[in-house]
Amino acid sequence: YDRNRAIPPDFVEQFQIAQSEAQSAWIAARKANDFASFQPHLEKIVEFARRLAEYYGYEDHPYDALLEDYEPGMTCKQLRAIIEPLKRDLVPFLRKLAAAGTPPDRSLLDGSFDQDALRHLSRSALEFVQYDFEAGALDDVAHPFTATIGPGDVRITNRYPTDSPIPSLLGAMHEGGHALYNQGFPEELYMLGLAGGSSNGIHESQSRMMENQVGRSRAFWQFFQPVLAEHFPQFASGSPEALYRAVNVVEPSLIRVEADEVTYNLHIMLRFEIEAGLIEGSIAVADLPALWNQAMKDYLGIVPPNDAQGVLQDVHWSMGYIGYFPSYMLGNLYAAQMLPKIRKDLPALDADIRRGDTNPLLGWLRENVHRHGATYQPNELIERITGHALDPAHFVRYVTEKYSDIYGL
Ligand code: ZN
């Protein structure tokens, strides 16, 4: 209420108009690979975002005021402290994987897959995670999302590229994680305005947990290989281990949404560093293509061949969403910090998943995360659950152990 009251109505109107214009300009610029045509629009958006931060107010850094919409309580300073050790460990680990590791063979996932069978496969995955179809629906869309209509109605959307069964399968698990969170809010929270996630980052922890910690785990594939083979008989003869390895290939890619577990956060870091620089005024919009490409080279070792696959790839900035990106990274970090606590509380977690039993895991998530809705801020929630503040060391340990094993380091 206070934040909304802090913004003058005519500012909201003008910002909305600028966003609307910037979105169409972004679509055209990306299509034409023409950053220059988008530049004046982004300059306007940044100017509005800086004014917005002033209206909201902040103690330390104007970016903090914008973060508050997505990750209440998080600050630019905290993010830098989280990112430094991540960068220090992940960048050399990625190089080591590429130089000394044996990459898994993912060719077994190649082929042409029937869309209707993929749809049914997604349903099987959602049944496995115990998404409640009686209180929702699964529908087709170009860019998947989860929508909560109200208590008892949380809908999922998915897309079905036909060249591999994995993107739609793990996409369903991802949206399923979001939907389970929303299906787990007690009804009374709707009456209190608290029937939402604690933050975008905590919400993303629930989706990434189902997509990665579960969907990219060895135990999951031991259970799920026969399920996959029911829909696609060509997988009946393969080994669960080969499938587990095939879904865990690490490869620096140009596009964030296609990134694996090791490289994903590196994509987010470069966006955060650019955003913080734009808002504090140390970076000019005109310099973004060069800065983007340099950061891609430093962090991921690859340079986009054009701006369409580089600085123009995400819709967020054109929509005025500055401060949103860190949520994606925080989701990975929160999930990785919850996992050791889950394993401690549920020592049979892997054995349960191997049997296809997600009841203990869902029960744990309901009890520790879902039932609280937005009652606690994310820093309070993660501390209540794990006993300490967010610590990126959990994520580093999770990926280095998992991928050193897969890559035979
Ligand atoms: Zn998500």
Side-chain angles (χ1 to χ4, degrees):
Y1 174 82
D2 288 340
R3 281 167 67 82
N4 284 337
R5 294 284 295 176
I7 317 166
D10 62 325
F11 173 87
V12 176
E13 186 182 331
Q14 285 158 22
F15 194 11
Q16 287 292 330
I17 291 168
Q19 288 167 31
S20 189
E21 288 169 354
Q23 274 178 65
S24 8
W26 169 75
I27 292 168
R30 192 168 73 145
K31 209 171 162 197
N33 184 32
D34 176 18
F35 181 79
S37 69
F38 181 53
Q39 185 184 321
H41 293 278
L42 186 53
E43 281 166 349
K44 247 192 210 172
I45 294 282
V46 170
E47 195 42 49
F48 274 109
R50 293 175 64 162
R51 283 171 60 198
L52 192 60
E54 295 305 321
Y55 284 129
Y56 284 150
Y58 52 86
E59 277 174 25
D60 184 34
H61 195 289
Y63 192 71
D64 300 348
L66 304 177
L67 271 172
E68 191 69 15
D69 271 343
Y70 310 100
E71 203 62 21
M74 183 54 70
T75 64
C76 193
K77 198 172 162 189
Q78 278 177 274
L79 277 176
R80 291 196 207 277
I82 288 167
I83 282 173
E84 271 326 302
L86 267 188
K87 211 193 296 189
R88 188 190 61 220
D89 293 332
L90 289 183
V91 172
F93 181 64
L94 180 62
R95 298 226 168 96
K96 201 168 140 193
L97 281 182
T102 312
D105 173 17
R106 69 170 153 208
S107 63
L108 72 160
L109 296 170
D110 293 345
S112 177
F113 299 87
D114 176 67
Q115 279 210 326
D116 221 39
L118 288 171
R119 251 179 226 112
H120 283 108
L121 180 68
S122 281
R123 289 189 79 88
S124 296
L126 288 168
E127 279 161 13
F128 163 78
V129 301
Q130 299 191 63
Y131 169 72
D132 183 359
F133 279 95
E134 295 300 309
L138 173 64
D139 287 296
D140 291 9
V141 78
H143 302 283
F145 62 93
T146 295
T148 298
I149 314 301
D153 191 355
V154 180
R155 306 183 193 187
I156 297 179
T157 62
N158 201 10
R159 60 190 277 267
Y160 303 95
T162 54
D163 56 347
S164 164
I166 301 306
S168 57
L169 170 64
L170 294 180
M173 302 272 286
H174 181 100
E175 297 308 324
H178 282 303
L180 287 173
Y181 194 0
N182 292 358
Q183 286 185 332
F185 301 144
E187 210 166 306
E188 59 268 26
L189 289 190
Y190 281 86
M191 306 303 161
L192 297 169
L194 294 171
S198 167
S199 68
N200 279 25
I202 296 287
H203 226 298
E204 198 65 11
S205 77
Q206 299 304 288
S207 56
R208 301 292 276 181
M209 183 170 293
M210 288 304 167
E211 175 189 355
N212 293 330
Q213 267 92 352
V214 176
R216 284 190 164 91
S217 73
R218 188 173 266 133
F220 171 76
W221 284 99
Q222 286 166 342
F223 167 73
F224 207 74
Q225 188 222 347
V227 180
L228 177 66
E230 276 171 34
H231 299 280
F232 298 103
Q234 63 266 45
F235 292 107
S237 58
S239 74
E241 183 66 16
L243 285 166
Y244 164 65
R245 292 172 55 79
V247 299
N248 283 300
V249 173
V250 175
E251 191 171 59
S253 62
L254 298 173
I255 308 297
R256 170 184 62 86
V257 295
E258 292 165 5
D260 55 76
E261 285 186 279
V262 180
T263 58
Y264 190 93
N265 288 334
L266 301 172
H267 287 271
I268 301 304
M269 287 173 200
L270 80 90
R271 287 160 175 76
F272 159 68
E273 285 165 351
I274 286 174
E275 287 187 343
L278 288 171
I279 295 304
E280 72 191 17
S282 63
I283 289 178
V285 171
D287 298 332
L288 289 197
L291 281 170
W292 184 284
N293 292 351
Q294 186 59 47
M296 284 295 291
K297 194 172 173 209
D298 293 344
Y299 299 167
L300 289 147
I302 52 176
V303 176
N306 54 55
D307 291 337
Q309 292 178 73
V311 68
L312 286 171
Q313 71 181 263
D314 295 302
V315 68
H316 302 60
W317 292 339
S318 74
M319 296 173 78
Y321 292 169
I322 295 182
Y324 190 126
F325 282 119
S327 306
Y328 294 121
M329 177 184 72
L330 293 168
N332 294 327
L333 305 186
Y334 288 132
Q337 182 158 334
M338 286 180 202
L339 192 63
K341 173 70 173 135
I342 296 175
R343 289 193 180 287
K344 196 167 160 235
D345 292 347
L346 307 173
L349 180 70
D350 286 338
D352 292 336
I353 290 174
R354 261 198 298 279
R355 282 200 318 275
D357 181 5
T358 51
N359 267 312
L361 175 61
L362 182 59
W364 191 97
L365 293 172
R366 289 271 188 260
E367 172 66 23
N368 289 282
V369 184
H370 302 174
R371 76 182 168 97
H372 299 303
T375 308
Y376 301 109
Q377 292 218 328
N379 52 349
E380 295 173 308
L381 187 66
I382 196 70
E383 188 139 3
R384 275 179 67 98
I385 295 172
T386 67
H388 59 270
L390 182 62
D391 178 356
H394 292 283
F395 180 81
V396 171
R397 198 172 309 127
Y398 165 74
V399 290
T400 47
E401 280 175 9
K402 176 175 175 179
Y403 290 92
S404 294
D405 171 53
I406 292 173
Y407 275 70
L409 291 181

